[in-house]
Amino acid sequence: MERIDIHPTHSHENFKLRLGRPQPFGATIVPGGVNFSIFSSHATSCSLVLFKKHAKAPLAEIPFPDEFRIGNVYCMVVFDLDYENLEYGYRMDGPNNFQQGHWFDPSKILLDPYAKIIGGRDVWGVVPDWEDIYHHRGRIAFDDFDWGNDRALEIPPEDQIIYEMHVRSFTRHESSGIKENHRGTFAGIRDKIPYLKELGINAVELMPVYEFDEFENSRPNPQTGETLYNYWGYSTVGFFSPKAGYAATGKFGMQVDELKTLVKELHKNGIEVILDVVFNHTAEGNERGPTISFRGIDNKTYYMMTPEGYYFNFSGCGNTINCNNPIVRNIVLDCLRYWAAEYHIDGFRFDLASILGRDPWGYPLANPPLLESLAFDPILAKCKLIAEAWDAGGLYQVGSFPAYGRWAEWNGKFRDGIRKFIKGDGTVGQIAQCLQGSPNLYAWAGRAPATSINFITAHDGFTLMDLVSYNHKHNEANGENNNDGSNDNDSWNCGWEGATDDVGINALRRRQIKNAIAILMVSQGVPMLLMGDEVGRTQNGNNNTYCHDNELSWLDWNLQTKNAEILEFVKHCVAFRRSHPVLRNPNHFRNQDYVGSGYADITWHGTKAWNVDWSDGNRAIAFLLCGKHAKQGTVEDNYIYVAMNMHWQTQWFEIPGLPPSLQWHVFANTGAVFASNYLPGTEPVLENQSGILVGDRSVVILVGK
Amino acid sequence: MTFTASLEIVDDVAKITLAGELDAATAPALKEEVEKAVKQKVKRLVLFASGLEYMASAGLRVLLFSKQKLGADVDIYVVGAQEFILETLEKTGFDQTVILVDKYDE
């Protein structure tokens, strides 16, 4: 029987209309038409503005009849729309009073916060028409992708090895060798899946892929005249739309299908997809920023306002999303559910996540409703939730982020601790914690080692090559007089600032890179690699390349040849981690023998076996993992011994004895004349089983089997 | 340019020759022809696409619809599609649903 609610009841000019459904918000294809639904608690009227794709002037404006408003939701079905060639927005009227926080302006056309595709920046870097009356245009998405049998991979958190990358930087360089029109796109990443697989990582973390405007705050580089962009995209225009300019098919409006195809292919290859999401602020910026969406729809609801009507700026980017307002909480939840269900996303990393725990006046909440909702949500139940547990307003919550047993954290203290140790600060106590998954931060609260996302480098800050090549940041090319970017880098240039021909310095830098990778890969928790560190990528000392769409940011694939030895070392260390479950424990060490092996799960050693000098200034430490305790004794593994000598002099390490019948084998020695590293399983026997000479600033990894 | 889709069924093979612009407005016409082929229980569907000027999301989706209607064991060939259409099919994953060929040999 035919339904009786598929026929129009109203009309406006040539358009046939009917009362719509308030849920879901956004534009939804329904039988015979499109259901439009948008919320505003303070608007006094609302019109739907329709454009033919790319047209300068609207095709029509349809005011919502009074009877089409349910509560604070305007909802309407428009019949017979050619929705593939359509763009839509809204015009809203209401109070305009700065101090009260109301910014209604009926001269503006507003983007639907729930738009699933956004046109207007279809192809990366094409200069927009600044006279356009509507820049970021909502479009209607097909949601009928053929997923086959795909599903989120649900890799146990402690088994993850994350690769943090920028979509465009990964393949934009011509040396990527892929088709020209795939460079810098989702399709380009798909072309390079074999590389990622060979590297051995099992999760990619994509820097923001929600629609953003690369032209936001774009300006000429004062040194070169080249355009500086909003390149990283930490400034969201639309939370439900993939960045069109990241899709080779963006010009056809097919970015949704292209990104889904990438996710499906990565999953087929055992690689999870984590999105870096920015819910702390939007592209509308401060009081002088553009009106794109929220500001004209319900300014006071979506943003944190001072009593005087200004924006609070806990993000350092002009405004702060009012995350713990009940309405805003729902849009965040709707958004993440959409990405988890519709795009099969495996996890999310929340930029400046501490803002998500602040109340509407900016005070940190003890039990933030948003974080709690996300942690207990049924649709997000298997998604990884990772917090960047600080914000630009001074909140630093590494170790204390409200976790509800679910939230992991970017461990900034791991980064700082390992950096200090590697450059020779002698912080053995601190790195002992780092190596164990930071129990000092997490064990007391019952949080697992995988809570700790271990990283030494990330997009913010130096690359690994620059960490060992520069004492100071060199950000002049950003055009901010070197004032931007962090000053706390804990870096050491090994004797010369920047590139050098000095053979000794270059050898030391390579060794330091290997030391860092080795320590990262034998630490409990979840290691994260920064794109390009596996091939010694440099940014010439720039520690904040947020604005550079050029070789400073792009991955140069020729480095694979130039730094082949680093790449091989990284691959071997990743493979080593993957083949040894004892490095990936789901629970913290107990410092005792609870399986009867005669060895505690972890024991600490120095240059003398069973003896550690814990005093500050000591730079030599070693540990032994008992293979019988791997994954709490549920699987059998080898014994692993790691000696780290960050002293400038070679030291003899006495090695703890193994059970009879087992022998020590050398997996890696970063300080050997021909730095040795082997594929797991092929390691040669160590000649002298009672000790080993560990070179200055070197790491040795032994396997007892 | 207007869209045309002409169907010819020989033995177990349905052949549809496409010309013009395949988008949301014209996709239903192709869908109709595919449904006719489904009724005839064909073993193969061949789409001659060299005359296609444009294919948007809705057009691509008819391919998927065809696969679902015809069943997994019925192969769908897209013959002689222009470069940009091939590219779009590849990048959006539709190339996993259909077989792309330059020429079709009986």
Side-chain angles (χ1 to χ4, degrees):
Chain A
M1 209 174 84
E2 196 170 272
R3 296 177 63 108
I4 58 160
D5 63 354
I6 59 168
H7 300 293
T9 54
H10 291 56
S11 66
H12 175 81
E13 292 165 1
N14 296 324
F15 293 92
K16 298 189 165 47
L17 317 171
R18 183 182 181 91
L19 169 66
R21 291 173 194 274
Q23 297 251 300
F25 294 129
T28 312
I29 300 168
V30 296
V34 178
N35 187 73
F36 294 92
S37 171
I38 187 164
F39 155 87
S40 172
S41 56
H42 297 99
T44 51
S45 73
C46 178
S47 306
L48 174 68
V49 187
L50 300 175
F51 291 79
K52 200 168 159 29
K53 213 187 229 182
H54 304 302
K56 297 280 169 217
L59 166 77
E61 293 210 30
I62 310 173
F64 283 81
D66 284 345
E67 59 270 34
F68 286 8
R69 180 178 55 74
I70 299 177
N72 288 331
V73 182
Y74 297 91
C75 49
M76 168 163 75
V77 174
V78 184
F79 290 87
D80 303 325
L81 287 175
D82 177 10
Y83 49 78
E84 216 178 356
N85 295 307
L86 193 77
E87 290 168 338
Y88 75 101
Y90 295 98
R91 211 186 275 285
M92 287 190 174
D93 205 353
N96 188 313
N97 181 316
F98 187 87
Q99 212 201 325
Q100 287 175 5
H102 294 310
W103 286 39
F104 286 97
D105 179 354
S107 75
K108 308 277 189 198
I109 303 172
L110 306 164
L111 172 68
D112 179 2
Y114 279 79
K116 307 298 192 300
I117 302 190
I118 297 172
R121 298 289 184 270
D122 298 18
V123 178
W124 177 278
V126 173
V127 180
D129 171 10
W130 296 113
E131 302 303 311
D132 198 342
I133 55 169
Y134 186 35
H135 272 264
H136 304 284
R137 301 172 163 219
R139 286 188 193 156
I140 293 152
F142 289 86
D143 56 1
D144 54 353
F145 186 75
D146 178 17
W147 281 103
N149 297 323
D150 183 77
R151 195 192 67 178
L153 296 179
E154 299 178 13
I155 294 173
E158 64 274 12
D159 292 344
Q160 279 187 299
I161 303 174
I162 301 174
Y163 186 76
E164 192 204 24
M165 63 191 283
H166 183 278
V167 172
R168 186 167 167 83
S169 292
F170 189 52
T171 63
R172 175 59 188 82
H173 201 282
E174 61 173 16
S175 62
S176 65
I178 59 173
K179 278 188 197 167
E180 201 170 342
N181 63 0
H182 284 202
R183 288 182 199 155
T185 67
F186 298 128
I189 299 178
R190 186 177 160 204
D191 292 339
K192 289 293 186 184
I193 289 176
Y195 174 80
L196 294 171
K197 228 182 146 178
E198 212 185 304
L199 189 57
I201 56 96
N202 59 17
V204 290
E205 182 169 311
L206 305 180
M207 286 164 67
V209 301
Y210 295 172
E211 183 64 33
F212 62 86
D213 183 3
E214 64 270 27
F215 287 97
E216 181 186 340
N217 195 27
S218 66
R219 60 202 186 274
N221 179 333
Q223 293 173 332
T224 63
E226 181 191 20
T227 304
L228 298 175
Y229 295 95
N230 166 31
Y231 181 69
W232 283 353
Y234 286 86
S235 187
T236 311
V237 165
F239 292 100
F240 291 78
S241 304
K243 170 87 187 125
Y246 278 171
T249 57
K251 57 179 180 286
F252 304 124
M254 301 281 291
Q255 55 268 36
V256 171
D257 291 283
E258 188 174 322
L259 177 53
K260 286 177 179 176
T261 302
L262 171 62
V263 174
K264 189 177 168 186
E265 286 299 311
L266 284 166
H267 282 173
K268 257 189 213 161
N269 287 281
I271 299 172
E272 294 194 332
V273 181
I274 297 169
L275 297 186
D276 189 341
V277 294
V278 188
F279 287 109
N280 54 73
H281 73 283
T282 74
E284 294 186 308
N286 66 12
E287 294 74 19
R288 292 183 300 279
T291 297
I292 298 171
S293 178
F294 299 107
R295 173 175 291 171
I297 293 172
D298 218 340
N299 194 46
K300 205 175 175 166
T301 299
Y302 288 112
Y303 294 113
M304 290 187 195
M305 315 287 297
T306 68
E308 298 77 28
Y310 291 90
Y311 292 119
F312 276 118
N313 184 11
F314 296 112
S315 66
C317 300
N319 65 50
T320 309
I321 295 184
N322 194 8
C323 283
N324 282 301
N325 171 293
I327 299 292
V328 186
R329 241 151 53 200
N330 283 343
I331 188 170
V332 174
L333 189 59
D334 285 347
C335 172
L336 295 171
R337 285 174 161 184
Y338 176 76
W339 286 93
E342 197 57 42
Y343 283 83
H344 293 198
I345 295 302
D346 299 271
F348 302 94
R349 176 268 186 194
F350 296 74
D351 188 58
L352 302 183
S354 291
I355 285 181
L356 277 57
R358 288 183 185 264
D359 75 8
W361 300 274
Y363 296 106
L365 291 155
N367 187 27
L370 174 59
L371 300 179
E372 187 185 34
S373 316
L374 298 180
F376 291 99
D377 188 72
I379 296 170
L380 303 176
K382 308 284 191 216
C383 284
K384 276 91 180 173
L385 302 176
I386 303 168
E388 184 186 31
W390 53 84
D391 67 22
L395 207 51
Y396 191 82
Q397 296 179 304
V398 171
S400 62
F401 192 80
Y404 309 98
R406 285 274 278 124
W407 285 83
E409 296 174 4
W410 264 29
N411 190 344
K413 292 183 180 173
F414 178 95
R415 174 197 59 206
D416 302 342
I418 300 288
R419 285 181 175 198
K420 287 192 173 104
F421 180 67
I422 290 173
K423 78 184 173 79
D425 286 2
T427 46
V428 283
Q430 198 177 359
I431 81 128
Q433 293 295 334
C434 297
L435 289 160
Q436 299 181 81
S438 299
N440 58 329
L441 298 177
Y442 304 118
W444 62 273
R447 300 170 74 186
T451 297
S452 176
I453 307 296
N454 296 333
F455 66 104
I456 298 170
T457 53
H459 67 272
D460 273 323
F462 282 136
T463 65
L464 191 49
M465 180 58 92
D466 289 353
L467 188 71
V468 297
S469 307
Y470 294 90
N471 284 350
H472 307 286
K473 66 182 184 186
H474 297 269
N475 296 359
E476 289 77 8
N478 301 351
E480 299 182 42
N481 300 318
N482 207 26
N483 288 323
D484 63 309
S486 177
N487 294 318
D488 303 324
N489 296 300
D490 294 311
S491 63
W492 177 49
N493 66 16
C494 297
W496 179 264
E497 189 76 352
T500 173
D501 292 331
D502 187 302
V503 176
I505 291 178
N506 284 328
L508 177 54
R509 286 177 180 170
R510 280 161 192 269
R511 203 155 78 233
Q512 290 285 61
I513 287 175
K514 289 179 183 173
N515 293 339
I517 295 290
I519 292 173
L520 179 64
M521 287 301 158
V522 298
S523 292
Q524 305 290 322
V526 179
M528 184 176 82
L529 285 167
L530 171 64
M531 179 195 84
D533 278 353
E534 75 276 18
V535 289
R537 190 174 79 88
T538 177
Q539 292 175 172
N540 300 337
N542 192 316
N543 76 354
N544 188 30
T545 60
Y546 73 99
C547 52
H548 292 284
D549 182 18
N550 56 36
E551 302 213 351
L552 270 189
S553 299
W554 302 341
L555 176 59
D556 178 354
W557 291 77
N558 294 318
L559 291 172
Q560 271 190 72
T561 328
K562 189 182 168 202
N563 293 324
E565 162 210 352
I566 297 176
L567 178 58
E568 190 194 54
F569 186 81
V570 174
K571 279 183 189 168
H572 286 188
C573 285
V574 171
F576 188 74
R577 182 173 184 87
R578 290 188 76 150
S579 43
H580 290 292
V582 76
L583 299 171
R584 298 180 271 115
N585 285 309
N587 298 310
H588 287 284
F589 294 118
R590 298 188 213 162
N591 297 298
Q592 54 182 324
D593 172 16
Y594 55 89
V595 300
S597 64
Y599 292 79
D601 45 8
I602 185 168
T603 48
W604 295 93
H605 310 270
T607 48
K608 293 230 175 325
W610 311 101
N611 271 300
V612 193
D613 172 5
W614 289 111
S615 61
D616 268 354
N618 175 30
R619 298 172 177 86
I621 189 168
F623 67 90
L624 169 68
L625 300 179
C626 165
K628 302 257 186 236
H629 286 84
K631 300 231 172 197
Q632 271 62 49
T634 57
V635 292
E636 182 87 6
D637 197 357
N638 304 132
Y639 288 64
I640 290 175
Y641 170 81
V642 180
M644 292 155 280
N645 176 25
M646 293 302 127
H647 199 279
W648 52 88
Q649 285 176 335
T650 297
Q651 305 208 51
W652 179 261
F653 279 66
E654 185 194 1
I655 311 171
L658 281 167
S661 85
L662 298 185
Q663 283 190 302
W664 286 117
H665 299 67
V666 185
F667 163 69
N669 182 350
T670 64
V673 180
F674 298 102
S676 58
N677 50 280
Y678 299 90
L679 273 174
T682 68
E683 301 93 347
V685 177
L686 177 67
E687 230 165 79
N688 180 348
Q689 290 283 312
S690 62
I692 186 168
L693 202 57
V694 180
D696 61 299
R697 304 187 195 274
S698 297
V699 174
V700 166
I701 301 175
L702 305 179
V703 188
K705 56 185 179 181
Chain B
M1 190 182 152
T2 52
F3 175 76
T4 57
S6 40
L7 170 72
E8 180 195 5
I9 299 180
V10 182
D11 300 329
D12 290 342
V13 181
K15 297 178 181 177
I16 303 180
T17 307
L18 308 171
E21 298 184 351
L22 182 54
D23 57 18
T26 59
L30 173 56
K31 215 167 144 187
E32 219 168 88
E33 299 304 312
V34 171
E35 277 174 335
K36 284 183 200 160
V38 171
K39 282 200 189 114
Q40 299 293 317
K41 296 198 169 44
V42 296
K43 298 266 163 60
R44 179 179 290 178
L45 173 65
V46 187
L47 300 167
F48 293 94
S50 61
L52 266 190
E53 313 272 313
Y54 176 74
M55 194 193 278
S57 312
L60 295 170
R61 278 171 166 77
V62 180
L63 300 180
L64 206 60
F65 164 83
S66 309
K67 188 76 182 176
Q68 288 168 354
K69 279 284 188 181
L70 290 163
D73 51 339
V74 175
D75 286 333
I76 299 177
Y77 287 79
V78 174
V79 186
Q82 292 180 34
E83 185 62 24
F84 78 93
I85 292 179
L86 289 177
E87 278 272 305
T88 311
L89 286 167
E90 280 167 16
K91 279 178 283 225
T92 53
F94 284 89
D95 61 330
Q96 294 163 12
T97 307
V98 298
I99 300 163
L100 302 171
V101 289
D102 290 339
K103 282 202 184 113
Y104 179 71
D105 298 318
E106 311 273 320

